[in-house]
C-alpha cells in the first residue's frame, strides 16, 4: 500500500536557530506595535496564524483589530526571515537527508509531503536555507491554509488525491513530527504517527501522547522506513 508521508518542518526536519522567532516578533511589532508576551510562550506545534492571534490576544488587542492586520504580517515576516537566513542558515536534523532520499527513491511506495504550521512562503524559505528543495514535496498543507492544525491533514489528503488520483486513508497516511500536536492532529483520521525527539519535547513526553512509534532522531533510515510501512 502506498504511503502519504507528511513531514513537519520545525524541530522535525530542521532548526531555524532562532531566526524564525526573531523575524516573527519583529513583524508583529511593526504591524501591531507589539509582539505580545513572547517570553515563555512556546511556538512549537502551533500554526503561524494561531501563534500570532494568541500572542496579540494576550497583549490585549481586540479580535477585530487582529483580524484586520494579520494579512500585513506575513509578507513582512517572510521578508525579515529571508534577511535572517542571509547571515545564519537553518540546520538539518540527523538522518533527514538520507530519509528523504530513501522515500524519493521509491515513488511507487511513498509520496513525500509537508504538514506544517508555517505559512507556505515561510516553509519554502526555511527548507531552502537548509539546502532542501521545497519542490521535493509535491503535496503540502500549511498554516496559511488553516489556523487550526487539526484541519491540515485533510487538506494534504485532498491535495494528494488531486495530484495522483488516489485517496489516502487511515494508516496509509503517516505524519512525522516532533510535538504532541503532530501526534494528535491526525488522530481523528486514524493516521500513523511517527514522533521524533529532535525538537523541544523528549522521547518520554512524546511516548505519553501514544504515537505509533517514537525515535530519538531520524538517523536510522531503515528503522524509520519500516515504521512508515508497519
Amino acid at each position: 500500500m502506498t504511503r502519504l508521508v507528511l513531514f513537519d518542518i520545525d524541530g522535525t526536519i530542521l532548526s531555524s536557530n532562532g531566526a524564525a522567532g526573531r523575524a516573527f516578533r519583529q513583524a508583529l511589532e511593526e504591524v501591531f506595535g507589539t509582539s505580545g508576551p513572547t517570553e515563555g510562550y512556546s511556538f512549537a506545534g502551533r500554526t503561524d496564524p494561531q501563534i500570532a492571534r494568541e500572542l496579540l490576544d494576550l497583549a490585549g488587542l481586540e479580535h477585530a483589530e487582529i483580524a484586520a492586520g494579520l494579512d500585513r504580517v506575513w509578507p513582512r515576516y517572510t521578508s525579515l526571515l529571508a534577511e535572517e537566513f542571509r547571515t545564519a542558515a537553518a540546520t538539518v536534523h540527523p538522518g533527514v537527508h538520507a530519509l528523504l532520499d530513501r522515500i524519493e527513491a521509491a515513488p511507487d511506495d511513498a509520496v513525500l509531503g509537508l504538514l506544517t504550521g508555517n505559512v507556505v512562503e515561510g516553509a519554502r524559505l526555511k527548507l531552502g536555507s537548509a539546502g532542501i528543495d521545497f519542490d521535493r514535496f509535491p503535496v503540502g498543507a500549511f498554516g496559511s491554509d488553516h489556523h487550526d492544525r487539526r484541519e491540515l491533514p485533510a487538506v494534504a489528503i485532498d491535495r494528494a488525491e488531486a495530484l495522483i488520483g488516489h485517496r489516502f486513508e487511515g494508516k496509509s497516511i503517516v505524519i512525522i513530527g516532533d510535538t504532541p500536536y503532530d501526534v494528535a492532529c491526525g488522530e481523528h483520521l486514524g493516521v500513523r504517527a511517527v514522533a521524533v525527539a529532535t525538537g523541544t519535547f523528549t522521547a518520554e513526553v512524546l511516548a505519553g501522547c501514544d504515537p505509533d512509534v517514537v525515535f530519538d532522531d531520524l538517523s536510522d533510515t531503515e528503522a524509520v522506513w519500516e515504521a512508515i510501512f508497519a
Side-chain angles (χ1 to χ4, degrees):
M1 181 190 301
T2 304
R3 299 292 197 265
L4 175 61
V5 186
L6 300 171
F7 283 83
D8 174 54
I9 293 179
D10 297 279
T12 302
I13 289 179
L14 57 80
S15 170
S16 71
N17 299 315
R22 290 189 295 270
F24 201 95
R25 286 189 291 270
Q26 186 174 337
L28 289 179
E29 288 166 4
E30 290 184 11
V31 173
F32 290 99
T34 179
S35 60
T38 57
E39 188 70 28
Y41 178 88
S42 175
F43 285 48
R46 294 171 169 83
T47 68
D48 286 348
Q50 177 188 2
I51 293 166
R53 288 173 178 173
E54 288 182 356
L55 287 172
L56 295 169
D57 184 61
L58 289 168
L61 276 68
E62 297 293 332
H63 290 180
E65 181 182 359
I66 296 170
L70 271 184
D71 284 348
R72 289 184 286 132
V73 169
W74 311 125
R76 186 59 185 140
Y77 161 61
T78 54
S79 176
L80 290 164
L81 185 58
E83 290 177 20
E84 287 274 354
F85 285 144
R86 290 190 187 101
T87 57
T91 53
V92 181
H93 287 307
V96 168
H97 284 302
L99 180 58
L100 295 180
D101 290 345
R102 178 75 174 86
I103 293 170
E104 277 189 320
D108 292 335
D109 296 325
V111 177
L112 266 177
L114 294 169
L115 194 150
T116 173
N118 285 280
V119 293
V120 64
E121 187 57 26
R124 186 187 302 275
L125 286 168
K126 288 178 181 180
L127 290 170
S129 177
I132 299 173
D133 186 354
F134 179 84
D135 292 331
R136 293 182 74 175
F137 303 88
V139 175
F142 307 90
S144 41
D145 293 314
H146 204 287
H147 71 276
D148 188 340
R149 195 180 191 98
R150 294 170 297 182
E151 300 296 326
L152 297 184
V155 173
I157 292 164
D158 287 345
R159 287 177 175 163
E161 183 177 18
L163 179 69
I164 66 174
H166 173 73
R167 186 71 180 178
F168 292 93
E169 296 179 335
K171 297 296 184 180
S172 69
I173 304 155
V174 183
I175 295 175
I176 302 179
D178 68 295
T179 76
Y181 298 96
D182 298 303
V183 174
C185 71
E187 282 182 338
H188 62 295
L189 297 173
V191 309
R192 179 171 299 281
V194 175
V196 58
T198 44
T200 58
F201 293 90
T202 66
E204 290 75 19
V205 169
L206 292 170
C209 301
D210 200 29
D212 291 275
V213 63
V214 182
F215 292 100
D216 290 328
D217 60 37
L218 299 174
S219 57
D220 190 338
T221 304
E222 289 309 311
V224 180
W225 180 260
E226 290 173 9
I228 288 170
F229 283 90

